[in-house]
Amino acid sequence: MAILEMKHITIVGLQHERKPIIELLHKAGAVQIEDADAAGRGLDRKDNSKSIAKFDAYMSECTKALEIINKYAPESKGLFSSREKTDISNYTLPSQQIEKTLNDCRALSSLAGRIAEHKEDINRIDVKVNALSPYLMLDVPMKCTESKSTVFMAGLLPGEWSGERIAQSLEGIERVSYEVLSGDKLNTAVWIAVHKSEREKLLGWRKETGFSQPQFSLSHRTPKDKVRVLTEAKQKLESEIGGFEEEIKKYDTKREAIEMLYDYLELRRDKYREIQKFAMTKNTFIIEGWISAGECEPLKKRLDSEFTVYIEARAPYDDEEPPVRFKNPALISPVEDITRTYAMPSKHDIDPNPIMAIFYYIFFGMMFSDAGYGLIMVIGCYILGFTNKLEKKKRSFFKMFFWCGVSTAFWGIMYGSFFGDAVDKIAQTFFGLPQTVQLIKPLWINPQKEALLLLIVSIAFGMVQILVGLGIKFHMNWRRGLYSDAVLDVGMWMLVLLGACVLGGGMGFGIGILKNVGAAMMIAGAAGLVLTGGRKKKGIGKVFGGVASLYDITSYVSDALSYSRLMALGLATGVIAQVVNILGTMGGKSVGGVIMFVLIFIIGHAINFGLNVLGAYVHTNRLQYVEFYSKFYEGGGEAFAPFEMETKYHRFTD
């Protein structure tokens, strides 16, 4: 399989059947609805923006309510949890249930709001208590600032002041008394009493010393009494907060209903968004969109059997770019997301996934290249990708890594790596195996001893992928009738690169005829590029354009050398694994040595696994995107996005 054939579909129906028809399309999930040409037909559109905004507001209330519940009554879900299944009958909810659940959401928001208000009040109390703490020794109310003949003043002196220093600073003021209430290196709290006749002198002293009075409102209570009152108020607020929290926890039983309401609102909002794309008259409506050819007839038969409709399906026009939908076998479909991440194919492209998948799995395995790590991936990803542990849409990622694990195990066997050299190290350290004996041997290449050979093999694999990419470009040009571009622009470079491969093979194996054939192919290809490379240019560009085109050889050399990462990452995985094993066996054959080995083995290989699986994934993607797709892939297509039941918390099933 490859890219599915798409058809443009037009559905004309009656207004009184619009609701059941749109719901049928929603549940079928087979049609990507497009904006119908209302203006061109002199028809109208329905503006649902207010209804959509209302649904968004209700969904926001549900989200806020669920966040509140999860904060005070968290729900334990597994790392790979799936959405709950629910019957399709919940596609619609009774209005009474909707209103009741929305009221629950608002009650939760109110409780959370009261908690927030109480916490703000507590913060204000804490601030005031902290501000009062320097004055706790004062046994008169701070609001008491004067008597009939005396002025009282409490405040802070900056820094650490002794009683003697304060007395010296007050020497110019008569009939004054003071008391040090508290002090530290930052401030010294002082209470001062002075005769009213000396008020002006005291104000001058305050400016000179930096004496500052409290900024908070003064109380008729003593500071200690005021702190006691504030503390009691704080305790009452905290008690009320506890009651609010317990009340919120009771709403844990409403979680399911709120999640269901959220999904219901999401489905309704999506329906109203799609209805805005319809063209309408008073009595009819028109839907336009795209559907895969295989799903077209079943949908037409179902609509015809249930409704009064007119349906037309046609092939895309030449100037139309239909959305793209892949359909590939189980081995290939997991890598479709790799292509989607890069770009969807244009209508001129082929589906690159069947070819790319082969290289992807091979290259990932060469980079990760350890049979033990591959076995872990195979087991773990089989459970997550091929069983019902996860939803169907979430399994694809793990299916891809399952096949990557198979490749990793294969290349680990080829390289003789099973958790590095763990088997040999365990046998040598704990069972007395001679150092010269090797239990697990490479079936093909030992990366540590034959790194140069592995480098050559890696670049050879790279040249194969580059040539395949050029071959696809040749095919695409030929299919579009661009015969000269196929032969002269792509074919000549294929001849040059094939010649280079044949020449390299002849030199490596010492076969003279291969060297001669390879050199002749390279010369013929280069000559073709020089003679035809400037054919589309004007003037002197026709002469020098072909010569300039040979400069692209540097790009191809760079691309080929990029595949050396197959050797580098494969070598790194094995070497780090061996270092972990060496460190683990340093404790020798003893109880402590066994414990040490187990700990280092688990931790070390876990780190090596995590780092190198990520490296293999990133660099395998890079090879496809930069070195492979750049040779032929245009991209720019639109992924098929059908109108289907996308929900957050539940899966609707018949």
Side-chain angles (χ1 to χ4, degrees), residues 272-283:
Y272 274 64
R273 283 178 176 172
E274 297 303 316
I275 289 172
Q276 289 189 126
K277 300 176 182 178
F278 297 0
M280 296 187 180
T281 67
K282 182 179 179 181
N283 298 312

Side-chain angles (χ1 to χ4, degrees), residues 363-428:
F363 292 166
F364 187 100
M366 290 183 70
M367 291 189 203
F368 206 24
S369 65
D370 185 278
Y373 297 164
L375 186 61
I376 292 174
M377 288 180 67
V378 166
I379 296 172
C381 293
Y382 178 83
I383 294 171
L384 295 172
F386 293 90
T387 65
N388 293 324
K389 294 284 185 183
L390 296 177
E391 297 176 36
K392 189 174 182 179
K393 287 187 176 181
K394 295 181 180 180
R395 296 175 200 164
S396 178
F397 181 78
F398 296 101
K399 287 180 179 179
M400 183 187 78
F401 275 100
F402 170 83
W403 295 114
C404 288
V406 172
S407 177
T408 298
F410 170 80
W411 285 103
I413 294 170
M414 293 295 103
Y415 295 168
S417 179
F418 186 86
F419 296 105
D421 58 350
V423 174
D424 291 336
K425 284 294 181 184
I426 292 171
Q428 292 165 5

